[in-house]
């Protein structure tokens, strides 16, 4: 029997609750679709930091490297550790394992409502491909003359040709395989999320790389939107979008908006992917750790289960991934078992159990 080893980092706040439901569904998928899945849990995060002065051990990446994939609940609790410190853990894994694609599918499941009127299951079907290792997240710069009236800060974005090219190429490959536009001369579309009018070095460079990669994909339509206008178009005409490729920060921002197109943060998932499979990829709900809800069992686990679905797809268990996708779909469409964010009264565990039962 095929076997997978998954490292689980539940993290902070509600991370433990939502990760447990992802694991429950992964296990159900394993027994239904005939693979063995073993998990190892690591209690890294803010409490670990309070005891040991680090978010995870020095050799954490060596530990994680032995796994087929990583599941992350959520990280951060500003009451315990400043956010700019706690996020280093996430960034260390993303960059250390060169997970250069942050893949964020945005789909609206039937039966889920959204505050955005144009959004429906027919109009919302896109994927944001976010650069995940450099750009505005390079953490280069400094604060000078700190605390004095002359104090100033410099934060530098890093855009390498290699870094831009590989993520843009991934986006074009994805559009080619999705065939959202059908079988015509152009089968898909990659929207370049940019800001080259104002960011006259980094984003002009990014645009040039986009154009040179696009030339290799005549069957994929090109498209360009400045990030500010793109947020407007996401709301005004979501059906236009197929694959959107964005730098690290822009991708971060537009996917929170994207989460509202898909019904809220409780449904949005992401994968931190090393497409070359040199290292394990990491899957996570994109919501925060919501410390105020910790232990109440009220947070929606669908985002987490959706991240598990993406993990199965990445591992090559496509049937199981489809099985989980349709189980999510059934539970959401039936509308009986749902958490408070979707207007229901069910607990986190009840939703997880309902999805797992549909899988099994
Ligand atoms: C995300 C999060 C992270 C990010 C934070 C927690 C560092 O917002 O995954 O979208 O900015 O990438
Ligand atoms: Mn974010």
């Amino acid at each position: 029997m095929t076997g997978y080893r998954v490292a689980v980092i539940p993290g902070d706040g509600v991370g433990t609750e939502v990760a447990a439901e992802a694991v429950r569904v992964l296990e159900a998928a394993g027994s239904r679709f005939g693979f063995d899945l073993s998990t190892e849990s690591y209690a890294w995060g803010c409490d670990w930091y309070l005891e040991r002065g680090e978010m995870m051990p020095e050799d954490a990446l060596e530990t994680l490297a032995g796994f087929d994939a990583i599941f992350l609940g959520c990280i951060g609790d500003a009451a315990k550790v400043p956010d700019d410190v706690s996020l280093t853990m996430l960034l260390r894994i993303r960059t250390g394992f060169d997970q250069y694609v942050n893949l964020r599918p945005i789909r609206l499941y039937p039966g889920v409502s959204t505050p955005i009127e144009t959004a429906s299951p027919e109009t919302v079907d896109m994927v944001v491909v976010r650069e995940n290792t450099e750009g505005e997240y390079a953490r280069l710069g400094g604060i000078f003359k700190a605390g004095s009236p002359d104090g100033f800060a410099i934060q530098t974005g890093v855009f390498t040709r290699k870094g831009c090219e590989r993520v843009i190429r991934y986006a074009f490959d994805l559009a080619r395989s999705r065939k959202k536009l059908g079988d015509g001369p152009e089968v898909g579309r990659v929207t370049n999320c940019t800001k080259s009018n104002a960011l006259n070095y980094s984003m002009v460079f990014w645009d040039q790389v986009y154009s040179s990669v696009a030339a290799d994909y005549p069957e994929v339509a090109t498209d360009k939107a400045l990030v500010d206008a793109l947020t407007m178009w996401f709301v005004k005409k979501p059906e236009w979008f197929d694959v959107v490729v964005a730098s690290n920060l822009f991708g971060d921002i537009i996917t929170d908006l994207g989460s509202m197109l898909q019904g809220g943060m409780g449904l949005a998932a992401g994968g931190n992917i090393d497409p070359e499979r040199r290292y394990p990829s990491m899957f996570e709900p994109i919501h925060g750790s919501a410390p105020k809800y910790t232990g109440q069992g009220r947070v929606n686990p669908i985002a987490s289960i959706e991240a598990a679905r993406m993990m199965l797809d990445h591992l090559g268990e496509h049937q199981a991934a489809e099985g989980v996708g349709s189980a999510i779909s059934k539970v959401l469409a039936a509308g009986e078992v749902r958490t408070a964010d979707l207007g229901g009264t069910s607990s986190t565990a009840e939703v997880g159990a309902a999805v797992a039962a549909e899988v099994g």
Side-chain angles (χ1 to χ4, degrees):
M1 196 189 280
T2 321
Y4 303 103
R5 294 184 63 238
V6 176
V8 178
I9 309 172
D12 301 307
V14 297
T16 308
E17 296 156 51
V18 295
E21 300 315 316
V23 170
R24 188 206 293 260
V25 171
L26 285 171
E27 281 168 355
S31 45
R32 166 80 169 71
F33 293 92
F35 57 88
D36 190 57
L37 191 124
S38 65
T39 58
E40 191 81 47
S41 191
Y42 295 95
W44 303 335
C46 291
D47 288 330
W48 185 277
Y49 184 96
L50 291 182
E51 280 167 33
R52 300 174 177 83
E54 55 185 8
M55 290 294 293
M56 60 183 184
E58 195 78 52
D59 62 355
L61 292 193
E62 281 138 58
T63 304
L64 294 174
F67 287 88
D68 295 304
I70 305 164
F71 188 89
L72 178 72
C74 23
I75 294 294
D77 185 344
K80 296 177 180 169
V81 182
D83 284 338
D84 65 320
V85 174
S86 60
L87 72 73
T88 55
M89 171 175 167
L90 188 55
L91 302 189
R92 254 183 77 200
I93 299 173
R94 286 176 179 173
T95 55
F97 285 156
D98 208 17
Q99 296 164 337
Y100 62 84
V101 170
N102 193 325
L103 193 62
R104 299 191 163 183
I106 299 173
R107 253 190 320 155
L108 179 59
Y109 279 106
V112 176
S113 65
T114 120
I116 300 177
E117 250 178 50
T118 50
S120 71
E122 291 71 42
T123 59
V124 179
D125 175 18
M126 63 173 100
V127 185
V128 174
V129 174
R130 166 184 171 188
E131 201 293 318
N132 208 31
T133 53
E134 54 176 48
E136 307 87 344
Y137 279 59
R139 298 171 78 77
L140 286 179
I143 297 176
F144 302 92
K145 301 187 182 179
S148 90
D150 296 329
F152 67 98
I154 292 179
Q155 183 102 36
T156 306
V158 172
F159 291 79
T160 65
R161 180 170 297 281
K162 174 181 158 189
C164 299
E165 181 169 345
R166 61 188 186 173
V167 73
I168 293 170
R169 198 166 284 286
Y170 184 95
F172 275 90
D173 284 334
L174 181 62
R176 189 161 64 184
S177 68
R178 273 168 53 88
K179 290 199 174 182
K180 175 166 169 168
L181 306 188
D183 280 321
E186 286 175 334
V187 298
R189 176 185 297 118
V190 175
T191 300
N192 170 17
C193 172
T194 183
K195 189 66 192 175
S196 43
N197 55 348
L199 302 178
N200 59 329
Y201 301 117
S202 58
M203 283 289 136
V204 167
F205 183 82
W206 166 273
D207 284 2
Q208 284 166 357
V209 177
Y210 173 90
S211 300
S212 71
V213 172
D216 293 338
Y217 297 82
E219 68 281 52
V220 178
T222 56
D223 183 37
K224 171 176 163 179
L226 299 175
V227 61
D228 48 344
L230 184 138
T231 61
M232 184 264 296
W233 286 113
F234 260 26
V235 174
K236 194 164 180 198
K237 205 175 179 191
E239 66 273 24
W240 172 259
F241 295 97
D242 175 10
V243 175
V244 179
V245 66
S247 66
N248 209 335
L249 181 63
F250 292 171
D252 178 45
I253 296 167
I254 64 174
T255 50
D256 268 28
L257 173 56
S259 81
M260 296 317 289
L261 285 171
Q262 60 190 134
M265 273 300 199
L267 295 119
N272 303 270
I273 314 267
D274 165 25
E276 275 124 68
R277 295 170 188 271
R278 299 154 296 171
Y279 306 102
S281 293
M282 176 168 68
F283 300 84
E284 51 172 340
I286 73 171
H287 59 68
S289 57
K292 67 178 176 191
Y293 294 141
T294 307
Q296 295 178 22
R298 60 169 284 153
V299 165
N300 195 343
I302 296 288
S304 213
I305 296 168
E306 177 70 12
R309 182 194 66 73
M310 294 178 71
M311 176 188 286
L312 291 172
D313 223 11
H314 179 79
L315 291 171
E317 295 291 340
H318 304 299
Q319 268 194 319
E322 264 176 46
V324 170
S326 57
I328 295 174
S329 218
K330 273 192 201 145
V331 170
L332 289 173
E336 279 152 26
V337 188
R338 43 175 61 185
T339 43
D341 59 315
L342 299 182
T345 54
S346 308
S347 70
T348 307
E350 282 164 350
V351 173
V355 176
E358 286 293 345
V359 171

